[in-house]
Amino acid sequence: MSSTAFSRRFDLRLPLVQGPMAGGPTTPALVSAVSNAGGLGFLAGAALAPEKIASEVAAIRALTTRPFGVNLFVLDRADPDDATVRRALGAIDPLRAQFDLPPGAPLAAYAPDFRAQLDTLVDLRVPVVSFTFGLLPSEDVARLHAAGSYVIGTATHVAEALAWRDAGADAIVAQGAEAGGHRGTFIGEVAHALIGTFALTPQIADASGLPVLAAGGIMDGRGIAAALALGAQAVQMGTAFLGCAQSAIPADWKARLRASADTSTSVTRAITGRHARGIRNPLMAQLEAHADSVAPYPVQNALTQELRQRAARANDGDWLSLWSGQGAPLSRVREEGIGAAQLVDALDAEWRATLRRFHG
Ligand SMILES: Cc1cc2nc3c(=O)[nH]c(=O)nc-3n(C[C@H](O)[C@H](O)[C@H](O)COP(=O)(O)O)c2cc1C
């Protein structure tokens, strides 16, 4: 069990993918450090304009010759009506005022153009690509394959995994309910798709027959060994990497991760218009108090962005989206500001020690 077909394919020292995380954590320094240490580093490209994706990929390629990945959100263009935007701003404007920001207004665009991002990804011929929030048509999967990319789809239940398999995906991220960040659910209700990693991983592995990357709540070598025992070929870990030196998130977010408890997170759609798991704070509470005003993703996300950017500059975690998984308290055993390579080394030693225990 010390290697899997997935880890051998990408010549990984251990079956570890560093989860793509939009919003600052997955800098080229983080991605390349993970890949150089023998994991698979992953850039979050969803929030980036196509030119920025290209420059970040160039920066990664300057820092590593090892495989890495790029992730995107599958999104249609948002064209909200004025009333939806005004209603959302009714709840957001009083929060903006705390940072001396003027009332918000409708925006020219609410997210980067997905089709342009995808075209850039095809041009860049990156080794691994992954997608969440939706399903790519099989023609697009075929374009990525023709460009030499290995294609991974995110699923939160079996039907989504089968849809990705039918579209031609090479592997599935099985996103358990424990996971930090946005839910990838694209078929059915999010409330029905909060399946824990322990139940989800073997069901998706059995049903799809594809390599599965288990994601959600995995924070150490015990978790890696458990995921592999459940039929995963690798793990995808996000929250564990948030506290790394190379993760460019505000210090207060890192401090709140270390101070958190197992009960500290909730799933909310109030901050971005799409369900996501994060540490509860005043931003979450205030926006949830106006749940009827929340615009759909990516509109709500864009309308709350300037406020969250101001809070980031002020290092004020009360008004940030503190995305985090349920395993965050387990990061307290790590040295504060641990380097990504050091974390990969520790995970490698831990999961090998766990395997040895089972072998007696
Ligand atoms: C701050 C944050 C941002 C995230 N952004 C993305 C993203 O852009 N794309 C994606 O596919 N998954 C995203 N995720 C999910 C991670 O890639 C990973 O699957 C997840 O963190 C695994 O669960 P864990 O947090 O319990 O380790 C994000 C997670 C976090 C915590």
Side-chain angles (χ1 to χ4, degrees), residues 164-234:
W164 270 112
R165 183 195 63 187
D166 294 347
D170 300 297
I172 307 290
V173 167
Q175 187 192 30
E178 300 92 323
H182 284 98
R183 305 296 306 151
T185 305
F186 62 92
I187 297 175
E189 303 274 327
V190 171
H192 301 165
L194 288 165
I195 301 152
T197 306
F198 244 74
L200 185 66
T201 300
Q203 292 191 69
I204 289 187
D206 290 352
S208 72
L210 291 178
V212 169
L213 283 52
I218 300 165
M219 298 295 290
D220 54 29
R222 294 173 297 184
I224 298 175
L228 265 63
L230 290 167
Q233 288 207 12

Side-chain angles (χ1 to χ4, degrees), residues 19-22 44 71 73 132 178-181 215-218 236-239 242 253 323 325:
M21 293 184 281
N71 169 267
F73 298 162
T132 185
E178 300 92 323
I218 300 165
Q236 175 164 292
M237 295 170 55
T239 299
L242 283 174
W253 185 354
W323 304 139

Side-chain angles (χ1 to χ4, degrees), residues 6 50 103 219 228 244 270 302 309 317 324-325 332:
F6 182 87
M219 298 295 290
L228 265 63
C244 284
Q309 282 166 351
S324 163
R332 273 198 290 277

